[in-house]
């Protein structure tokens, strides 16, 4: 079974500072990796995804992530955060099983941007 | 845009009640999912379905059942609600096969409180 580990449950950062949210996965097969964002009182929104090709993936709102197969990591980064980036961020891995696919999520990282 | 609509935003039910959570999607997606979200535990898959009348157990199916009589609707059923089922419930949908790797679309969630 595939699994995802997000080591940081909370990450406080000042506005305009850079941030990195860490994600490690375990899998015995090729993986597809995702980052989702959840703003307060909302559902999850796809931020970016890695399917194949370039290991540096760019997403919405200035976020990017780098797939590192040797370290089994898919860390999310942003060079300069804004107060509106305050949200919970979930890393997920795609797993094909039975007749369909399912996503396995990490436990989430709460990003709190302070002035 | 794909819309995934969850019928209730907030629900309060009594212990022992039978509870129905409804989810409807409007993009003809084959795959539909029910997740439960709890602080510190992330999203955990309860059940998913990749076709009408088809269902597969996720990671935490105990105490839940599902129904998919029509392609667009996926219902989560708590046969006899208990206080440990107080949680945020998220529905998601996505296309079949490799297209699922373009991510799922989530509803806004139903916050269920069992008293």
């Amino acid at each position: 079974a595939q699994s995802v580990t997000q080591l940081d449950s909370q990450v406080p950062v000042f506005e305009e500072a850079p941030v990195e949210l860490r994600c490690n996965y375990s899998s015995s097969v090729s993986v597809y990796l995702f980052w989702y964002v959840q703003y307060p009182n909302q559902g999850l929104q796809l931020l970016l995804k890695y399917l194949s090709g370039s290991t540096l993936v760019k997403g919405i709102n200035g976020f990017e992530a780098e797939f590192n197969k040797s370290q089994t990591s898919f860390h999310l980064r942003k060079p300069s955060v804004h107060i509106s980036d305050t949200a919970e961020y979930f890393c997920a891995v795609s797993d094909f099983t039975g007749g369909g696919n399912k996503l396995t999520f990490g436990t989430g990282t709460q990003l709190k941007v302070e002035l | 845009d794909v819309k995934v609509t969850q019928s209730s935003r907030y629900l309060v039910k009594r212990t022992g009640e039978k509870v129905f959570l409804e989810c409807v999607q409007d993009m003809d997606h084959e795959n539909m999912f029910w997740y439960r979200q709890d602080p510190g535990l992330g999203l955990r898959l309860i059940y998913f379905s990749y076709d009408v009348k088809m269902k597969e157990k996720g990671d935490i199916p105990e105490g839940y059942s599902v129904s998919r009589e029509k392609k667009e609707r996926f219902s989560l059923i708590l046969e006899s609600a208990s206080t440990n089922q107080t949680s945020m419930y998220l529905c998601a949908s996505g296309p079949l096969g490799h297209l699922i790797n373009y991510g799922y679309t989530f509803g806004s969630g139903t916050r269920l409180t069992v008293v």
Side-chain angles (χ1 to χ4, degrees):
Chain A
Q2 307 199 26
S3 66
V4 176
T5 302
Q6 292 180 250
L7 288 172
D8 306 307
S9 59
Q10 293 187 41
V11 173
V13 63
F14 287 109
E15 192 172 35
E16 297 184 5
V19 70
E20 178 179 86
L21 306 184
R22 296 181 294 168
C23 173
N24 288 88
Y25 66 91
S26 67
S27 172
S28 58
V29 298
S30 298
V31 293
Y32 304 108
L33 293 157
F34 304 82
W35 276 98
Y36 280 83
V37 59
Q38 184 180 35
Y39 298 104
N41 298 314
Q42 294 186 28
L44 274 70
Q45 178 182 354
L46 182 63
L47 202 54
L48 50 78
K49 59 187 179 286
Y50 171 78
L51 305 180
S52 64
S54 173
T55 56
L56 184 62
V57 179
K58 293 189 184 297
I60 61 173
N61 300 339
F63 282 93
E64 61 182 33
E66 185 156 19
F67 172 62
N68 188 319
K69 188 174 182 179
S70 62
Q71 297 188 4
T72 61
S73 67
F74 189 54
H75 300 332
L76 181 70
R77 302 185 183 102
K78 187 170 183 177
S80 176
V81 295
H82 188 268
I83 196 82
S84 60
D85 293 323
T86 294
E88 189 152 25
Y89 293 79
F90 292 94
C91 183
V93 61
S94 177
D95 179 15
F96 187 84
T97 179
N101 294 65
K102 64 175 185 176
L103 282 179
T104 299
F105 287 86
T107 52
T109 297
Q110 181 67 47
L111 175 64
K112 185 173 173 56
V113 181
E114 301 168 352
L115 294 171
Chain B
D1 281 351
V2 177
K3 280 207 169 51
V4 177
T5 304
Q6 294 184 233
S7 55
S8 302
R9 190 77 178 93
Y10 298 94
L11 272 180
V12 180
K13 296 292 182 180
R14 295 194 178 279
T15 301
E17 272 194 80
K18 189 170 186 175
V19 181
F20 292 86
L21 303 184
E22 306 288 346
C23 176
V24 177
Q25 51 98 358
D26 65 359
M27 277 298 289
D28 203 35
H29 282 166
E30 290 83 3
N31 285 326
M32 295 190 75
F33 308 81
W34 275 106
Y35 286 89
R36 170 178 172 159
Q37 182 180 10
D38 299 288
L41 298 177
L43 277 75
R44 294 178 291 167
L45 182 63
I46 304 172
Y47 268 97
F48 67 106
S49 167
Y50 53 87
D51 200 356
V52 175
K53 296 191 186 295
M54 302 299 289
K55 61 184 179 184
E56 286 202 25
K57 293 180 180 179
D59 301 315
I60 52 164
E62 297 77 19
Y64 303 94
S65 63
V66 290
S67 171
R68 193 162 180 205
E69 296 296 319
K70 294 184 178 181
K71 192 174 186 179
E72 67 270 19
R73 186 181 295 271
F74 192 37
S75 303
L76 179 69
I77 303 158
L78 287 66
E79 295 289 343
S80 178
S82 64
T83 54
N84 63 12
Q85 293 178 309
T86 291
S87 185
M88 170 69 88
Y89 291 87
L90 291 167
C91 176
S93 76
L96 194 62
H98 73 282
L99 293 175
I100 197 67
N101 297 315
Y102 288 86
Y104 298 175
T105 299
F106 281 82
S108 298
T110 295
R111 187 167 294 281
L112 173 67
T113 303
V114 182
V115 297

